[in-house]
Amino acid sequence: FRIAPINKFRRHPMVENIAVLPSCSYAYQKIRASIQSEGIQEPLKCVFSENDLLIVDGIHRATIARELSIQE
Protein backbone atom coordinates (compact mmCIF):
# COMPACT_ATOMS: atom_id res chain seq x y z
CA PHE A 1 0.00 0.00 0.00
CA ARG A 2 1.34 3.42 -0.93
CA ILE A 3 -0.08 6.94 -0.98
CA ALA A 4 0.94 8.88 -4.06
CA PRO A 5 0.00 12.17 -5.75
CA ILE A 6 -2.93 11.72 -8.13
CA ASN A 7 -0.99 13.38 -10.97
CA LYS A 8 1.41 10.40 -11.01
CA PHE A 9 -1.36 8.02 -12.09
CA ARG A 10 -2.25 7.12 -15.65
CA ARG A 11 -4.21 4.31 -17.28
CA HIS A 12 -2.44 1.01 -17.81
CA PRO A 13 -2.11 0.22 -21.55
CA MET A 14 -4.05 -3.03 -21.05
CA VAL A 15 -7.14 -1.04 -19.96
CA GLU A 16 -6.78 1.93 -22.34
CA ASN A 17 -9.66 0.73 -24.53
CA ILE A 18 -12.11 0.10 -21.70
CA ALA A 19 -14.91 2.65 -21.83
CA VAL A 20 -15.15 5.26 -19.12
CA LEU A 21 -18.58 6.24 -17.83
CA PRO A 22 -19.76 9.57 -19.21
CA SER A 23 -19.60 12.27 -16.53
CA CYS A 24 -23.30 12.98 -17.01
CA SER A 25 -24.35 9.39 -16.21
CA TYR A 26 -26.18 8.55 -12.99
CA ALA A 27 -23.55 5.97 -11.98
CA TYR A 28 -20.69 8.46 -12.45
CA GLN A 29 -22.51 11.15 -10.47
CA LYS A 30 -23.25 8.66 -7.68
CA ILE A 31 -19.55 7.72 -7.44
CA ARG A 32 -18.61 11.42 -7.53
CA ALA A 33 -21.02 12.31 -4.72
CA SER A 34 -19.68 9.44 -2.61
CA ILE A 35 -16.06 10.49 -3.12
CA GLN A 36 -16.92 14.13 -2.45
CA SER A 37 -18.61 13.33 0.87
CA GLU A 38 -16.57 10.33 2.10
CA GLY A 39 -13.33 10.37 0.11
CA ILE A 40 -11.97 7.41 -1.82
CA GLN A 41 -12.91 4.35 0.23
CA GLU A 42 -11.36 1.68 -2.00
CA PRO A 43 -7.76 2.30 -3.05
CA LEU A 44 -6.82 2.39 -6.72
CA LYS A 45 -5.11 -0.77 -7.92
CA CYS A 46 -1.92 0.12 -9.75
CA VAL A 47 1.37 -1.26 -10.96
CA PHE A 48 4.64 0.67 -11.01
CA SER A 49 6.34 1.55 -14.29
CA GLU A 50 9.41 3.75 -14.20
CA ASN A 51 8.12 7.07 -12.77
CA ASP A 52 4.42 6.33 -13.25
CA LEU A 53 1.72 4.42 -11.44
CA LEU A 54 -0.42 2.62 -14.01
CA ILE A 55 -4.06 2.24 -12.99
CA VAL A 56 -5.39 -1.26 -13.44
CA ASP A 57 -8.62 -0.72 -11.46
CA GLY A 58 -10.11 2.60 -10.38
CA ILE A 59 -10.00 4.87 -13.42
CA HIS A 60 -13.31 6.49 -12.46
CA ARG A 61 -12.09 7.15 -8.92
CA ALA A 62 -8.87 8.69 -10.29
CA THR A 63 -10.74 10.84 -12.82
CA ILE A 64 -13.15 12.10 -10.16
CA ALA A 65 -10.29 12.74 -7.72
CA ARG A 66 -8.65 14.96 -10.33
CA GLU A 67 -11.96 16.80 -10.93
CA LEU A 68 -12.34 17.41 -7.19
CA SER A 69 -8.66 18.46 -6.84
CA ILE A 70 -7.95 15.62 -4.43
CA GLN A 71 -4.16 15.43 -4.19
CA GLU A 72 -3.58 11.95 -2.71
Side-chain angles (χ1 to χ4, degrees):
F1 181 74
R2 178 179 171 186
I3 296 175
I6 198 71
N7 65 346
K8 288 285 187 181
F9 292 95
R10 64 184 181 88
R11 289 180 86 168
H12 191 284
M14 301 263 320
V15 296
E16 278 292 325
N17 295 324
I18 295 175
V20 176
L21 290 170
S23 61
C24 62
S25 74
Y26 174 76
Y28 189 92
Q29 291 303 315
K30 189 172 177 182
I31 295 167
R32 191 178 196 282
S34 172
I35 290 173
Q36 195 166 21
S37 66
E38 301 170 29
I40 296 175
Q41 297 299 307
E42 184 177 336
L44 306 174
K45 291 172 181 66
C46 304
V47 293
F48 295 95
S49 174
E50 297 178 21
N51 294 328
D52 290 325
L53 292 167
L54 303 177
I55 301 171
V56 176
D57 180 42
I59 190 64
H60 294 104
R61 286 172 273 157
T63 301
I64 292 167
R66 286 185 185 111
E67 286 176 9
L68 297 173
S69 300
I70 295 172
Q71 299 299 313
E72 300 182 336

